């Protein structure tokens, strides 16, 4: 049974339920633009159609015994869908290039999105930049040390960690990796957003393309 988001909000208020709130832990300062690529995106985190503007970043997860897992993602700003992701236990170059290869496979020949990132070494690497150049993808980079220049991607990582990672315990990396895969599927296909008219990212994309 489908329920309007306003009904959910009213019921939560009547039952005294509240959603988890993510605490913003970062502060921003202006910083400088990198030499590799200008900040083409300029915090314009909206797009009219899919595959116009993408953002990307890497985040780290730590579990017991100091085990680490790194997640690299690309988000489409038209509907906040995670269009490609890759996980590795070390922050190696394939973490980003393998993910990019998956994302590029989704594009039609006429689609040339902006791809925005921070100034991490992965995004400055010659192989990564060559992959973008060969596909005609416009590279955009945040100013140095400025998290807000990539706030949309930072927001997703905050949601993932508050709704999934911090609410569970993991015995090993394989368990964590499987859980992240499951959460991303849920986020893309089932988690509704008010900004998307109460639809999930995939539902919204399907509606836009059918219009």
């Amino acid at each position: 049974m489908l329920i309007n988001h306003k009904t959910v909000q009213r019921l939560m208020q009547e039952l005294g339920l509240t959603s988890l709130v993510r605490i913003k832990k970062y502060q921003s300062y202006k910083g400088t633009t990198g030499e590799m690529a200008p900040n083409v995106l300029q915090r314009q985190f909206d797009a009219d159609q899919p595959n116009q503007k993408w953002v990307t970043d890497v985040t780290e997860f730590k579990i017991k015994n100091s085990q680490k897992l790194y997640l690299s993602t690309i988000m489409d700003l038209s509907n906040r869908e995670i269009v490609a992701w890759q996980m590795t236990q070390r922050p190696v170059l394939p973490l980003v290039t393998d993910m990019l290869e998956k994302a590029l496979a989704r594009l039609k020949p006429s689609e040339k999105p902006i791809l925005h990132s921070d100034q991490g070494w992965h995004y400055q690497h010659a192989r990564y930049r060559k992959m973008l150049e060969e596909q005609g993808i416009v590279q955009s980079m945040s100013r140095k040390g400025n998290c807000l220049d990539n706030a949309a991607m930072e927001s997703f990582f905050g949601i993932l960690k508050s709704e999934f990672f911090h609410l569970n315990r993991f015995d090993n990396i394989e368990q964590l990796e499987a859980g992240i895969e499951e959460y991303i599927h849920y986020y893309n296909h089932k988690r509704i957003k008010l900004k998307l008219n109460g639809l999930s990212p995939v539902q919204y994309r399907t509606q836009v393309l059918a219009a």
Side-chain angles (χ1 to χ4, degrees), residues 65 112 118:
N65 299 325
K112 310 292 182 182
D118 61 21

Side-chain angles (χ1 to χ4, degrees), residues 6 28 53 58 76 86 89 95 104 116 141 157 190:
K6 293 182 180 179
S28 175
K53 298 177 184 177
V58 173
D76 190 319
Q86 186 73 24
Q89 294 183 37
L95 173 66
L104 295 177
H116 183 83
M141 279 187 169
F157 288 149
K190 297 181 180 180

Side-chain angles (χ1 to χ4, degrees), residues 121-192:
W121 71 268
H122 298 90
Y123 312 118
Q124 298 192 40
H125 196 280
R127 182 180 173 190
Y128 175 84
R129 290 170 56 81
K130 184 178 180 181
M131 291 174 70
L132 297 183
E133 182 180 357
E134 289 176 346
Q135 294 292 322
I137 306 299
V138 177
Q139 186 175 20
S140 174
M141 279 187 169
S142 301
R143 291 166 295 175
K144 187 175 181 180
N146 199 317
C147 295
L148 294 181
D149 283 349
N150 203 6
M153 195 73 263
E154 295 281 352
S155 177
F156 169 73
F157 288 149
I159 292 171
L160 169 62
K161 290 182 178 181
S162 65
E163 293 186 355
F164 164 69
F165 181 64
H166 295 312
L167 298 182
N168 295 280
R169 292 187 177 183
F170 305 94
D171 296 324
N172 51 62
I173 289 296
E174 291 74 22
Q175 189 180 61
L176 172 59
E177 189 169 356
I180 291 174
E181 290 276 358
E182 184 176 335
Y183 181 85
I184 291 177
H185 183 272
Y186 156 76
Y187 174 89
N188 279 341
H189 293 267
K190 297 181 180 180
R191 189 182 187 278
I192 64 172

